[in-house]
Amino acid sequence: MTDKYCVFGNPVGHSKSPAIHAAFARQTGQDLAYRAIAAPIGGFAGAVDAFVAEGGRGANVTLPFKQEAYRLATRRTRRAEQAGAVNTLVFGNGEALGDNTDGVGLLRDITLALDTPVRGRRILLLGAGGAARGVIGPLLDEQPESLTVANRTAERARALAACFAALGSVEGCGCGELSGRAFDIVIDATSAGVSGAMPDLPAGLFAPGSLAYSMMYGPGETPFCVFAREQGAGKVSDGLGMLLGQAAESFFVWRGVRPDCAPIAELLRKDQAFRRAVDAR
Ligand code: ATR
C-alpha cells in the first residue's frame, strides 16, 4: 500500500510541499502519496487524529500550527526542543515524534548550495519570532565567531538570545544598535517581506564578500534583497533553498533517503520565471 504523508496548515492551498515531495518521491523511487490538508483553526489535533486513523505515516506542519504540533508530539528531537516548534511529525506505534528541519534546511543551503561557511564568521540574524528562533540552535552548532540577533523590538531579541546563551556566543539588540558594525552573513528571518517592507537597517552592514539571505521565497525579490544588493553584499539569496532543504530533511527523516534538491530548485525557478512572463503580458 502507498504510504501517506501530508502538510497541515491554514491556509495551505499555496503550499509547494506536495509538488516538492512528489518530485522527491519520483527522483528516489519511493512509493508515497503527499497531500495538503487545511486543518481548521482550533481543530489541528482532530485533523491529525483523522490522518493517523487513515494510515498517515508522517506530516509536515506549517503556519499557524507549528507550536501546536510541538505540544501534540509525544516525543521530540533536540532540534525541535531548541526551536520550540515542530514542522515534521512521524507517526507509528501510537506515538507522534516531533522534529524540526527548518534550521538544518537553512544551514545546508548556506554551507553546501551557496558554499558559504558559517564557522568562524560574524552572523547577523534579523527578527525574533518563530522563524528566527528555529534557526539559532543550528547556527550556533556551526560555531560562528559571533551571532547577533537584531529586531525592531529590541527586548524580544535580547530575550531570545538569552534563551540560547548556553550554546555559544549570541547577543540580542535592536536594529538601530547595528550602526558601525559589519557582518559576513546577514539572514532576514522577519516577516516584513510579506507586506513588502523590511527592517529599518543602517548602511554598512555587509562586509566585503558577505552573503545576504532572505528566508522568504516568492515571486519577486524582497526589499531586504534589493537593499542588500544596493549595499554591496557579495551574494544575495532568497529562501527557495531553505524551503527545499527542510523538505529534503523531512523526507530523509521519514524514508531514510536524502533527495537531491538542485534539479528541483531549477524546475521551480523555471516555473517562477514562466509565471512572471505570463503575468507581464
Ligand atoms: P514568524 O513566526 O514568522 O517569525 P512572528 O513571530 O510574528 O512571525 O515574528 C515576526 C518577526 O518579524 C518579528 O521579529 C517582527 O518584529 P517585532 O518583534 O518588532 O514585531 C518582525 N517584523 C515584522 N514586520 C516587520 C517590519 N515591517 N519591520 C521590521 N520587523 C518586522
Side-chain angles (χ1 to χ4, degrees):
M1 213 175 76
T2 301
D3 290 336
K4 291 181 189 169
Y5 296 87
C6 74
V7 54
F8 291 106
N10 189 329
V12 78
H14 64 285
S15 172
K16 300 213 180 317
S17 294
I20 290 170
H21 282 281
F24 285 168
R26 266 197 308 277
Q27 185 196 73
T28 59
Q30 294 283 308
D31 182 19
L32 62 86
Y34 186 112
R35 70 185 200 267
I37 297 179
I41 303 296
F44 175 67
V48 171
D49 285 347
F51 185 64
V52 172
E54 64 164 273
R57 299 281 304 269
N60 282 131
V61 182
T62 188
L63 300 179
F65 300 123
K66 289 186 184 186
Q67 270 83 26
E68 235 178 295
Y70 179 90
R71 291 191 292 272
L72 176 141
T74 52
R75 281 189 303 136
R76 289 185 286 259
T77 61
R78 171 179 175 261
R79 54 197 190 186
E81 292 283 355
Q82 280 180 350
V86 157
N87 80 332
T88 304
L89 288 163
V90 186
F91 306 120
N93 304 324
E95 291 225 71
L97 172 69
D99 196 359
N100 193 307
T101 64
D102 286 329
V104 74
L106 172 73
L107 266 298
R108 280 181 170 268
D109 194 35
I110 290 179
T111 57
L112 300 178
L114 295 164
D115 199 20
T116 305
V118 170
R119 195 186 177 88
R121 301 295 187 90
R122 296 161 296 175
I123 317 295
L124 172 60
L125 179 65
L126 300 168
R133 184 185 193 101
V135 301
I136 294 179
L139 278 168
L140 288 174
D141 283 347
E142 295 284 316
Q143 299 185 306
E145 180 184 305
S146 61
L147 174 60
T148 302
V149 182
N151 193 42
R152 176 173 64 183
T153 312
E155 242 354 276
R156 273 188 94 188
R158 284 193 243 284
L160 184 57
C163 296
F164 288 88
L167 295 183
S169 165
V170 53
E171 55 162 351
C173 67
C175 292
E177 295 166 59
L178 294 169
S179 292
R181 299 185 61 184
F183 298 87
D184 304 303
I185 302 177
V186 181
I187 302 164
D188 183 15
T190 73
S191 58
V194 174
S195 50
M198 64 169 273
D200 196 5
L201 299 174
L205 284 182
F206 299 91
S210 57
L211 168 68
Y213 196 100
S214 166
M215 281 172 47
M216 277 187 53
Y217 169 66
E221 279 203 310
T222 60
F224 167 77
C225 289
V226 174
F227 173 78
R229 215 182 287 287
E230 284 167 3
Q231 286 284 313
K235 243 186 251 176
V236 178
S237 176
D238 67 11
L240 175 60
M242 177 180 179
L243 175 69
L244 289 168
Q246 61 79 29
E249 185 70 10
S250 296
F251 195 92
F252 178 70
V253 167
W254 295 325
R255 312 297 298 183
V257 186
R258 205 181 285 285
D260 179 7
C261 294
I264 295 150
E266 205 175 311
L267 282 178
L268 286 170
R269 293 261 182 237
K270 277 191 190 140
D271 182 53
Q272 202 183 52
F274 174 73
R275 278 164 207 262
R276 263 203 301 270
V278 170
D279 288 348
R281 284 178 175 230

